[in-house]
Amino acid sequence: MSSIDFETELSETEQAVQETVHRFAEEVLRPVGQELDKMPDPQQTIDDDSAVWPALKKYAELGINTLGADDTGLSPVENARLSAIIHEEMGWGDAGLAMVMTAQGGGIVTWLANISGKAELISRYGGSDLSEFGCWAITEPDHGSDTLALNQPTFNDPEITANCIAVKDGDEYVIRGQKSSWVSGAPIATVMALYCTIEGNRGFEGGGIAVVPLNLPGVSKGKPLNKLGQRSMTQGEVFFDEVRIPADYMIVDQDAYKMALQGTLTMANSWMATTFAGVARSAFDLANAYSKERIQGGKPICEHQSVKLRLFDMFRKVETASTFARKVSTINNGTDRGQLHYAIAAKTYSTRVAFDVASEALQIFGGNGLTKEYPMEKILRDARASMIEDGCNEVLSIVGAEDL
Ligand SMILES: Cc1cc2nc3c(=O)[nH]c(=O)nc-3n(C[C@H](O)[C@H](O)[C@H](O)COP(=O)(O)OP(=O)(O)OC[C@H]3O[C@@H](n4cnc5c(N)ncnc54)[C@H](O)[C@@H]3O)c2cc1C
């Protein structure tokens, strides 16, 4: 049970959504995430017979993909509060599936389509149904942190050459190059929010943001990435060989790029914060339950003082991460007072807490925690990845500090 259960101000809708998503997390996300995690070849996780497909279908049927969509009928604050609840419960179920379903599945492409003002893009990508599957590509083989460190001197250094460049050609843009193997959801995505450099002499600052359908001629994909954590989330590189898009698919141009990237990072870090508060809570819940069952020294281990203290310390961290993440999510996504440094503080805090609490939880499981028979080692690996995901925590903190 989390403190969210005691929030008297939760509306009936919020309570109902929380219960529904928690059930989905327990009955679908957790078992499917564990099954995908154990597959030795990441290609298996997206083969036709993979459990990921029915899970995605069930997620779509829940109708909770409200992020960024214009057709939900919710106020921005209502949307932000629900989003925080949804992210936390889904993170509790499975980090990788939570990320691929919420942030990549509908988030950034939907938001871009809606701000484009272009009827064709809005009708195809702007709603909350999941018939199109989005991904977000900003990092490149030679540029990870560089692409995100938007208030550092390197950001406008024209000497640093991007791996993916868009060139204006009449009423089209031609895209050449590639994005990194870390693009979440790319192997199954049908559309991409592409953050890339536009030809010129402004470095990363002179970027643009385009909606790129991934069935266009010249687009190809690499093999799904084999990695340590969040193995249930498929990731892979995308190549562009003279790919042509209409010029008005470039939704954000060079002059607005930095501001739009700041907005994206504010949004993405808020989502990460709530999701990994949920991951931390899952580790705590499992360790708490285990400590009541495991008998050592003639009594359940929860009756040993050092275990009690460890559990209480974990509980305190989970509750502070969850409360802070939800507050920041509401400020940043629900009002026009979006603040990047708050989002970064919440992301770096929540992901660190998720890793620390998962590590403490594994200790409570003793040797069992290290085995694949028990869920802890997977949660620890999933949490470890989050401290690099959407920006290394150190680099994000440097960016956040600049914003104070
Ligand atoms: C689970 C996961 C999901 C991801 N999803 C996506 C996605 O959907 N789309 C996408 O485009 N990318 C995605 N990424 C990529 C992610 O954003 C990058 O991995 C991250 O920004 C770090 O880049 P890098 O891996 O190239 O590390 P590098 O930038 O090479 O950094 C290596 C080390 O150097 C340090 N460092 C680098 N620069 C500085 C600096 N200026 N000051 C101080 N220290 C520095 C870093 O802290 C780090 O410890 C994902 C990554 C992960 C792990």
Side-chain angles (χ1 to χ4, degrees), residues 9-10 27 76 85 100 121 129 159 181 189 192 198 276 364:
E9 79 270 25
L10 278 193
E27 293 170 4
I85 292 169
V100 89
L121 289 178
D129 80 289
E159 300 299 319
S181 52
M192 171 183 278
I198 296 179
F276 284 88
I364 287 175

Side-chain angles (χ1 to χ4, degrees), residues 99 104 135-149 152 154 179-186 193 195 225 227 229-230 233 235 272 276 382 384-396 398:
M99 290 309 295
Q104 318 308 333
C135 63
W136 173 50
I138 182 164
T139 57
E140 304 182 343
D142 298 331
H143 305 289
S145 304
D146 285 1
T147 61
L148 305 174
Q152 299 303 299
T154 46
K179 286 297 185 180
S180 82
S181 52
W182 290 105
V183 179
S184 302
Y195 288 52
L225 185 67
K227 60 187 196 285
Q230 297 181 39
M233 173 171 71
Q235 291 179 288
M272 285 286 292
F276 284 88
D382 288 349
R384 184 64 190 85
S386 70
M387 294 194 290
I388 298 172
E389 186 168 14
D390 288 1
C392 289
N393 280 4
E394 315 81 298
V395 172
L396 288 176
I398 291 168

